[in-house]
Amino acid sequence: MKFEALAIPDVKLLFPKKFSDERGFFSETYNQTTYADAGIFQSFVQDNQSVSCNAGVLRGLHYQCTPYAQDKLVRVAHGRILDVAVDIRAGSKTFGKWVSAEISATEWNQILIPCGFAHGFVTLEPDTEVHYKVSAPYTPEAERSIMWNDPDLGIPWPHEESDVTLSQKDMQAMSFADYCRNPDF
Ligand SMILES: Cc1cn([C@H]2C[C@H](O)[C@@H](COP(=O)(O)OP(=O)(O)O[C@H]3O[C@H](C)C(=O)[C@H](O)[C@H]3O)O2)c(=O)[nH]c1=O
């Protein structure tokens, strides 16, 4: 399995093989053995899928607090996203730092977001379909949101505030300063 570490090495980009022929293509989008070869030993317990009708749909920055934290293996079956992971591990030398990558059906790449990172993405094309595996079940009471455009994080999203579509939850997300007052990682 071809992979590369991003600037925060715990976040990895993966490049599964795609076997194309005159019918179309086949790809193993997850395989415990070959992903272990890339240093991904997490076991996943839940598959998620979100479809966003337009470009500019922004979901995040989300995480589940300990002990309900989730590793996430994210891929795009149709369309393209800018995916962002923010290190929220208290004491980490990259605390408050972020990494980003374009994940798309065209590139057929994936991103592993470990526990201890807040995760978000913005769609770059209409009808973008994101599939992701998580290593712990959904626990609503453990769900937290940090403001996507928090000035202390300074994530250079490609959209202005007026151009993004957010959920009510994400519109009311906490600031990063609020998170720092009571970090739950
Ligand atoms: C995450 C989740 C949600 N839901 C229900 C709860 C809501 O009624 C509905 C929509 O949930 P939400 O608005 O939180 O969905 P997203 O904004 O796409 O959130 C996700 O997007 C960001 C990028 C993430 O990294 C998280 O995995 C996840 O928070 O699905 C479930 O039933 N199970 C689940 O695992």
Side-chain angles (χ1 to χ4, degrees):
M1 159 67 76
K2 182 168 160 278
F3 71 96
E4 66 183 60
L6 290 175
I8 302 175
D10 298 314
V11 183
K12 292 184 171 71
L13 277 186
L14 299 157
F15 303 89
K17 288 197 183 103
K18 197 174 182 178
F19 300 96
S20 298
D21 61 27
E22 66 283 1
R23 299 167 299 169
F25 75 83
F26 178 92
S27 179
E28 288 183 5
T29 54
Y30 175 69
N31 177 313
Q32 192 174 42
T33 306
T34 53
Y35 279 57
D37 294 346
I40 294 175
F41 301 103
Q42 290 88 342
S43 57
F44 298 103
V45 297
Q46 180 178 313
D47 280 351
N48 296 332
Q49 175 176 339
S50 68
V51 173
S52 301
C53 304
N54 302 303
V57 171
L58 197 148
R59 300 170 186 258
L61 300 161
H62 302 164
Y63 68 96
Q64 290 193 167
C65 64
T66 48
Y68 307 100
Q70 300 170 314
D71 303 283
K72 297 170 186 170
L73 180 62
V74 182
R75 68 185 184 92
V76 174
H78 186 268
R80 193 157 54 96
I81 63 173
L82 177 69
D83 199 281
V84 175
V86 183
D87 189 348
I88 58 171
R89 298 168 297 185
S92 165
K93 64 181 187 322
T94 50
F95 180 75
K97 302 296 182 203
W98 50 268
V99 288
S100 66
E102 272 198 26
I103 308 298
S104 70
T106 311
E107 291 299 312
W108 204 246
N109 54 354
Q110 301 178 351
I111 188 166
L112 178 86
I113 317 278
C115 292
F117 285 75
H119 175 235
F121 65 79
V122 68
T123 57
L124 302 175
E125 291 176 7
D127 302 322
T128 287
E129 190 176 315
V130 178
H131 293 244
Y132 51 108
K133 305 178 88 67
V134 293
S135 61
Y138 174 57
T139 310
E141 58 274 20
E143 272 224 306
R144 303 285 186 274
S145 288
I146 296 173
M147 188 55 76
W148 63 283
N149 59 349
D150 188 286
D152 293 337
L153 297 175
I155 298 167
W157 298 100
H159 295 79
E160 296 300 322
E161 190 160 352
S162 55
D163 301 332
V164 294
T165 304
L166 298 168
S167 65
Q168 279 299 317
K169 175 180 78 172
D170 290 348
M171 286 177 194
Q172 295 148 15
M174 70 176 131
S175 67
F176 187 60
D178 286 342
Y179 173 78
C180 293
R181 275 186 274 279
N182 182 27
D184 36 24
F185 262 101

